[in-house]
Amino acid sequence: MTSPASPADLSAWGAPQQPRGAALLTDPLLNKGTAFTERERDVLGLRGLLPPRVFTLDEQVQRSLAAVHRKPDSLEKYIYLTNLQNRNEVLFYRLVMDNIEEMVPLIYTPTVGQACLEYGAIYRRPRGLFLSLRDRGHLADILSQWPHQVRLIVVTDGERILGLGDLGALGMGIPVGKLSLYTACAGVHPSYTLPITLDVGTDNQELLEGPAYIGLRRKRARGEEYDSFIEELVQAVSMVFPKALLQWEDFGNTNAFRLLTQYRSRLLSFNDDIQGTAAVALAGVIAGLRLTGGTLRDQRLLFLGAGEAGTGIADLYVEAARSEGLNEAEARARCWFVDSKGLVVKAREADLAHHKLPYAHDHPFIATLDEAVRTLKPTALIGVSGMPQTFTQPIVEQMAAFNPRPMVFALSNPTSKAECTAEQAYQWSDGRAIFASGSPFAEVEFKGRRHVPGQGNNIYIFPGVGLGALAAESREVTDAMFLAAARTLAGMVAQGDLELGRVYPALTQIREVSLRIATAVAEEAHAKGLAQAARPDDLMADIRARMFRPVYREYA
Ligand code: NAD
């Protein structure tokens, strides 16, 4: 690890004025709890404030893991982990990183969804900033009060939290969780990160009427009132944290596309629901091609659901197919959408949302997915509709009738919303489907063969993309960077995984995945003249050296 004193070091920021005694124990970035040594206890005025026995970090991790296991349910485990994070970040991240497969579902989906629903009840102490419409005119002042030099912001307005809809100010669990993943998976130093929840009201009547709701009790701002608030935020971030990357998170459909288009070249920013999802799904397709033997150029993708996820994936596919020689029209012609009203076609143009228009082809209207599959004969069927059990037996059987290895991606979350289960996909395709899902499914034994479903979790993409953009001090996060991320991820799927049908690497490899993606993203920034940092000779070694690792500093 490089010296934390290096100003270029991503783990260097927040180097504190040294607090002592009780104040030291309440600073989560500095606190070592029972791991303070005898000498540190003397020098730092900690005698008597801690129980006598000195523990190692490893011993603390074991004790904390046992405490997690003692909690009766996922929400209680989440609360325990949140409290640990607020008490001792090194210990929290060591625990999470050493047990990543067990911890990710606790600190992020699916548990974070339940935590958001109950955020009003379980709220203990602030983490991040709540910026409400009442703060208009003062956003820059409020950001200036934040005690660290921020490089990474995740912001939500709570309108479309996971599959749960409008949760208003309760959405805070999402930016908090995503930023924890940035640190655990890509080594962005915790002091660099700032979760923000914009409280612009909520249209969730139950929350507005409930006694425990923590946000403004008013309907959502729309139009000019909303837009000027966002504009003030963007200006404030640019002014107070000019090197920060901002991730738009869980905004409603109409605002998400608009804000991304409007701000992506003005402010270093991206939208994970659109672009991160696109990259992880495309990576699954690219890895799947290693099994089918096909090329991106000759795919026909049929999407169920034409929202942020679906059109984001298609847009990135178009970028990828263009890089393989197709022109834009040819690439778009390979993407088809069925939304809640049927096949997206030219005849429906007058009623279609803006983001669907590029995929409204000149083709007779088809009312059902079943019929669309029979007519269009897609190579991949991608579910991003939030509608469970819509990939029925006849549909999957059709896919298997004209594809030796059909790709069936049921990406809707949570598990209960998946378009079909892993077991159904394997059974109905006679074990030939290449299946991926948004939420985890257990492996399936079918006709004596083991099938391991891939989980197309955005966690494979956004931490690495963010780290790469920060390391290069890129001016922009481009689609080409997401494409580089998708290709890197697909290239990291081991042959052994592919043979089991798994199109994503194991989560235990996430630090290496993020590092390689970050390197590819930074490389792209340097190649396209977007990087503001000097290019080190060995880009990967340089990024690796900057990644935060949860080890205690020695004070004395
Ligand atoms: P969205 O609200 O932007 O879009 C949903 C789309 O589905 C809309 O176009 C809607 O018209 C369509 N739809 C609704 N009912 C339908 C029906 N009966 N038939 C066909 N289409 C229908 O939401 P989104 O952000 O695009 O997310 C969609 C789903 O994808 C969610 O369930 C989400 O959990 C999932 N998702 C998965 C991942 C992942 O796996 N990594 C990432 C992001 C989103």
Side-chain angles (χ1 to χ4, degrees):
M1 183 138 158
T2 53
S3 154
S6 152
D9 189 336
L10 286 180
S11 69
W13 294 85
Q17 287 281 356
Q18 181 64 67
R20 291 167 45 81
L24 182 54
L25 299 181
T26 58
D27 185 329
L29 284 169
L30 302 176
N31 183 22
K32 297 164 68 164
T34 54
F36 279 110
T37 63
E38 298 287 357
R39 187 166 153 65
E40 285 170 339
R41 293 174 190 216
D42 284 335
V43 174
L44 298 168
L46 295 169
R47 283 274 166 222
L49 295 175
L50 293 163
R53 180 167 160 200
V54 175
F55 285 82
T56 64
L57 178 55
D58 280 340
E59 287 169 334
Q60 288 180 311
V61 169
Q62 289 316 314
R63 235 180 24 189
S64 305
L65 186 61
V68 172
H69 290 162
R70 272 198 303 276
K71 298 292 173 195
D73 57 48
S74 300
L75 187 62
E76 288 299 326
K77 292 177 204 273
Y78 174 92
I79 293 169
Y80 173 83
L81 288 164
T82 302
N83 289 338
L84 178 61
Q85 187 177 19
N86 289 335
R87 203 169 69 234
N88 180 338
E89 300 223 31
V90 168
L91 176 53
F92 169 80
Y93 283 111
R94 254 301 289 283
L95 177 67
V96 170
M97 285 165 58
D98 286 0
N99 303 278
I100 193 88
E101 286 176 311
E102 181 181 352
M103 293 297 152
V104 165
L106 294 176
I107 64 170
Y108 204 63
T109 51
T111 310
V112 73
Q114 195 192 350
C116 284
L117 286 171
E118 306 198 29
Y119 214 81
I122 67 176
Y123 173 82
R124 303 270 160 89
R125 57 182 277 186
R127 193 173 178 90
L129 287 176
F130 287 95
L131 302 176
S132 88
L133 286 171
R134 279 200 212 132
D135 303 316
R136 262 174 304 192
H138 304 287
L139 297 190
D141 295 338
I142 297 172
L143 292 184
S144 305
Q145 287 164 19
W146 188 255
H148 301 290
Q149 184 54 49
V150 171
R151 295 285 306 275
L152 185 58
I153 294 169
V154 175
V155 60
T156 187
D157 73 354
E159 186 169 11
R160 203 228 47 175
I161 296 298
L162 306 170
L164 302 167
D166 184 349
L167 295 189
L170 302 186
M172 185 53 123
I174 298 296
V176 168
K178 279 250 153 129
L179 286 166
S180 300
L181 297 181
Y182 265 109
T183 300
C185 302
V188 175
H189 194 278
S191 71
Y192 260 170
T193 66
L194 173 59
I196 297 182
T197 290
L198 302 176
D199 187 352
V200 294
T202 177
D203 291 341
N204 184 328
Q205 204 54 36
E206 208 180 309
L207 291 183
L208 288 175
E209 288 166 9
Y213 183 57
I214 57 174
L216 294 181
R217 293 184 140 180
R218 56 157 286 174
K219 288 276 183 199
R220 258 181 197 282
R222 305 274 176 200
E224 163 58 20
E225 190 183 17
Y226 180 88
D227 289 352
S228 58
F229 189 60
I230 300 284
E231 175 62 27
E232 187 187 339
L233 172 78
V234 167
Q235 286 186 20
V237 168
S238 311
M239 197 171 83
V240 181
F241 303 126
K243 285 185 162 189
L245 163 64
L246 180 145
Q247 179 175 321
W248 305 102
E249 185 70 29
D250 283 1
F251 282 71
N253 206 313
T254 46
N255 289 327
F257 286 107
R258 245 168 22 91
L259 297 180
L260 179 62
T261 312
Q262 194 173 336
Y263 289 114
R264 64 182 297 179
S265 56
R266 249 184 74 189
L267 179 80
L268 179 65
S269 56
F270 70 91
N271 181 308
D272 183 52
D273 308 302
I274 300 173
Q275 297 163 289
T277 303
V280 80
L282 187 66
V285 172
I286 296 173
L289 294 177
R290 290 169 58 193
L291 285 168
T292 65
T295 65
L296 273 180
R297 293 171 55 112
D298 43 57
Q299 296 311 298
R300 192 173 306 115
L301 311 181
L302 176 58
F303 295 88
L304 182 69
E308 293 176 42
T311 54
I313 300 167
D315 288 348
L316 194 62
Y317 167 81
V318 169
E319 179 85 14
R322 284 177 59 194
S323 77
E324 295 194 358
L326 294 185
N327 67 35
E328 184 166 337
E330 290 166 335
R332 291 210 192 275
R334 285 158 170 75
C335 299
W336 295 82
F337 284 88
V338 170
D339 66 9
S340 55
K341 302 201 174 71
L343 191 66
V344 171
V345 289
K346 242 191 167 52
R348 291 178 53 197
E349 255 178 10
D351 300 324
L352 287 174
H354 192 257
H355 59 278
K356 301 184 192 179
L357 289 176
Y359 302 101
H361 302 310
D362 197 359
H363 189 279
F365 176 71
I366 297 174
T368 66
L369 179 66
D370 197 333
E371 191 55 33
V373 168
R374 280 170 208 281
T375 310
L376 299 170
K377 298 192 171 26
T379 52
L381 184 59
I382 300 175
V384 273
S385 62
M387 292 291 138
Q389 291 297 312
T390 36
F391 292 175
T392 58
Q393 184 165 357
I395 287 175
V396 176
E397 282 174 355
Q398 271 299 309
M399 287 295 293
F402 42 73
N403 291 295
R405 299 296 309 266
M407 294 197 216
V408 178
F409 289 6
L411 297 182
S412 288
N413 296 315
T415 315
S416 60
K417 296 253 175 87
E419 283 79 4
C420 67
T421 66
E423 196 163 10
Q424 289 168 335
Y426 296 129
Q427 273 181 5
W428 296 339
S429 66
D430 199 27
R432 287 186 282 120
I434 300 168
F435 177 82
S437 54
S439 303
F441 277 99
E443 54 185 70
V444 174
E445 189 87 13
F446 180 72
K447 290 195 175 167
R449 267 192 63 197
R450 201 175 143 219
H451 299 263
V452 183
Q455 191 195 346
N457 193 328
N458 293 28
I459 197 177
Y460 286 117
I461 296 289
F462 70 82
V465 169
L467 177 65
L470 288 181
E473 294 182 26
S474 185
R475 284 194 191 84
E476 208 177 310
V477 186
T478 61
D479 290 338
M481 291 176 185
F482 281 98
L483 185 51
R487 288 202 165 115
T488 304
L489 177 60
M492 288 189 73
V493 184
Q495 196 55 36
D497 282 333
L498 278 181
E499 280 157 19
L500 295 170
R502 180 155 75 181
V503 288
Y504 297 101
L507 208 47
T508 46
Q509 274 184 269
I510 190 65
R511 295 276 288 199
E512 193 61 24
V513 167
S514 299
L515 171 64
R516 281 170 194 264
I517 288 178
T519 307
V521 165
E523 198 71 79
E524 174 70 19
H526 286 289
K528 296 287 157 59
L530 292 168
Q532 298 172 92
R535 191 191 186 293
D537 291 337
D538 186 338
L539 198 48
M540 192 184 297
D542 180 72
I543 294 175
R544 192 194 296 275
R546 295 166 183 232
M547 287 166 78
F548 166 82
R549 281 183 298 159
V551 287
Y552 286 136
R553 53 183 288 195
E554 285 174 23
Y555 290 85

